[in-house]
Amino acid sequence: MGATLSETVFKPGHHECEICYGGEADLRKHYTSCKKNPGHVNFIPVNDFNFDHLPLRYRDVIMLDVIKALSALTILIKVEYTSLKRPKSLPCFSGQYPCYNTRGSDVLRTGTGRVFDVIKYTERDNKGTCPCGKCKHSDTPSNVWGKVHVVTAKHVVFDDSEAKRTRCVVGFDDNKSPGVSIDGWGVSGADLFGDRCELTCVSCDLGLVDELYKMCEHFENLCEKVSDKYWRYLDVDKLTVIVSHPHGCPKQVSVGQWTHEHKGKSWSKYTYTTCTCPGSSGAHVYMLGYHRWLSHPHSGSNSEGNFSGEPWLFG
């Protein structure tokens, strides 16, 4: 099920990681001095999001529920290493490939991702003990643990060397709720030209693992219900919602429309009016009802607007 699409030639653009040469202390400074969206008036703090922020047709409980579920699965990604294997250039980005100049360094960058799958291991699965940092340094590492699979952009987490120096923060909804950190472990899959990455994280926090597992199923079910309800308006409204961590700060929701499809080697990239900022790279681009089982990560911005990478199939 999908809308009639406007196909255009893709134009190279600029990435939207937040680069912090001064470490985490830079994040608030970058937020207040932002030149792309001064004042961030089109970003709504996730805890403040309500019916009034949606187009009139979509002001119902099911739409709020799907956005809340997406928010629960949205994570802040903090990467503290830049791989030596990053290429110098790539057609989808203007100038040098993101972070090429910081290869081999521990310069912090932040992005966003979305949990799309969770696997829980028990002692009977014979998968050994949890490889998270806490368990590695414990005399009693847990033999019940979980893998948390996250979709993000490849330019956010390029390879295993970066994944092992990555922390993902779940539940950073406001400054009073710092969230829970889980450790990056490896890159399970990636596509350089599609700018997509499957990051695997690990955790022995079983309450969190179970909660994320249930929320993944809940989100997929809600996506189907929303698509079934609004399918006749998909090519009229082109509703596009993004939940992200602009500038590495608490979750924000932005609402807009997708405008163009750009055919990729396997799937398509999209351009949209939905607001993003540095730090939004890798966020899930929720295009209502269109390709309901695909997860497009936000990639960057160009002269036509903001654009996605190619998607992962998550259903």
Side-chain angles (χ1 to χ4, degrees), residues 165-183:
R165 296 283 300 278
T166 294
R167 289 178 294 128
C168 295
V169 185
V170 182
F172 183 27
D173 293 351
D174 57 48
N175 287 317
K176 295 180 181 179
S177 306
V180 178
S181 290
I182 56 177
D183 295 337

Side-chain angles (χ1 to χ4, degrees), residues 10-308:
F10 179 78
K11 296 180 180 180
H14 302 281
H15 74 91
E16 290 203 315
C17 283
E18 183 66 274
I19 312 299
C20 306
Y21 290 95
E24 294 197 27
D26 277 355
L27 293 176
R28 188 64 191 176
K29 179 178 67 176
H30 290 169
Y31 184 89
T32 56
S33 63
C34 177
K35 295 180 179 179
K36 184 180 182 185
N37 292 293
H40 298 91
V41 294
N42 292 314
F43 290 86
I44 303 98
V46 66
N47 290 334
D48 296 336
F49 193 84
N50 59 52
F51 293 116
D52 294 337
H53 298 115
L54 288 165
L56 188 61
R57 195 194 314 276
Y58 303 98
R59 293 178 181 177
D60 66 13
V61 172
I62 193 171
M63 276 305 307
L64 278 184
D65 285 347
V66 79
I67 293 169
K68 287 179 180 178
L70 174 58
S71 172
L73 296 171
T74 298
I75 62 171
L76 170 63
I77 298 178
K78 298 180 178 180
V79 189
E80 298 177 325
Y81 177 72
T82 305
S83 173
L84 294 169
K85 295 182 180 179
R86 285 188 175 239
K88 187 173 184 178
S89 63
L90 206 67
C92 58
F93 292 108
S94 300
Q96 289 187 338
Y97 185 74
C99 303
Y100 176 80
N101 283 339
T102 59
R103 291 175 304 155
S105 77
D106 59 359
V107 173
L108 173 68
R109 67 182 173 278
T110 71
T112 305
R114 184 186 80 90
V115 176
F116 78 97
D117 187 32
V118 178
I119 302 173
K120 182 178 177 180
Y121 297 120
T122 67
E123 188 174 1
R124 289 180 298 177
D125 294 312
N126 196 30
K127 294 292 183 178
T129 57
C130 180
C132 75
K134 176 183 175 182
C135 286
K136 281 183 178 178
H137 297 95
S138 172
D139 293 332
T140 57
S142 178
N143 54 15
V144 181
W145 55 284
K147 285 184 181 178
V148 178
H149 296 286
V150 174
V151 171
T152 187
K154 184 172 176 64
H155 75 266
V156 176
V157 183
F158 189 80
D159 59 17
D160 284 343
S161 69
E162 294 187 356
K164 294 181 188 303
R165 296 283 300 278
T166 294
R167 289 178 294 128
C168 295
V169 185
V170 182
F172 183 27
D173 293 351
D174 57 48
N175 287 317
K176 295 180 181 179
S177 306
V180 178
S181 290
I182 56 177
D183 295 337
W185 191 51
V187 170
S188 307
D191 178 357
L192 184 61
F193 292 92
D195 195 28
R196 52 187 175 176
C197 169
E198 179 186 326
L199 169 67
T200 298
C201 300
V202 290
S203 177
C204 58
D205 184 338
L206 302 183
L208 179 64
V209 168
D210 289 340
E211 179 183 345
L212 291 174
Y213 177 84
K214 292 175 183 177
M215 190 55 66
C216 286
E217 289 192 330
H218 184 52
F219 179 66
E220 291 181 18
N221 290 334
L222 285 171
C223 284
E224 186 168 7
K225 291 178 181 179
V226 168
S227 296
D228 289 344
K229 182 172 183 177
Y230 291 108
W231 65 269
R232 61 177 59 87
Y233 304 117
L234 302 185
D235 59 349
V236 177
D237 299 323
K238 303 178 181 178
L239 182 66
T240 303
V241 179
I242 295 176
V243 183
S244 70
H245 285 277
H247 309 286
C249 292
K251 282 177 204 165
Q252 306 281 315
V253 183
S254 51
V255 179
Q257 296 176 302
W258 63 263
T259 56
H260 298 103
E261 179 195 38
H262 311 278
K263 287 290 188 181
K265 63 175 185 177
S266 301
W267 300 93
S268 295
K269 300 180 179 182
Y270 289 85
T271 302
Y272 33 87
T273 63
T274 314
C275 281
T276 60
C277 265
S280 295
S281 278
H284 177 82
V285 182
Y286 176 65
M287 294 175 288
L288 189 148
Y290 193 72
H291 291 325
R292 67 177 71 171
W293 306 123
L294 301 179
S295 182
H296 288 79
H298 174 63
S299 186
S301 63
N302 59 23
S303 59
E304 295 180 345
N306 300 316
F307 62 87
S308 74

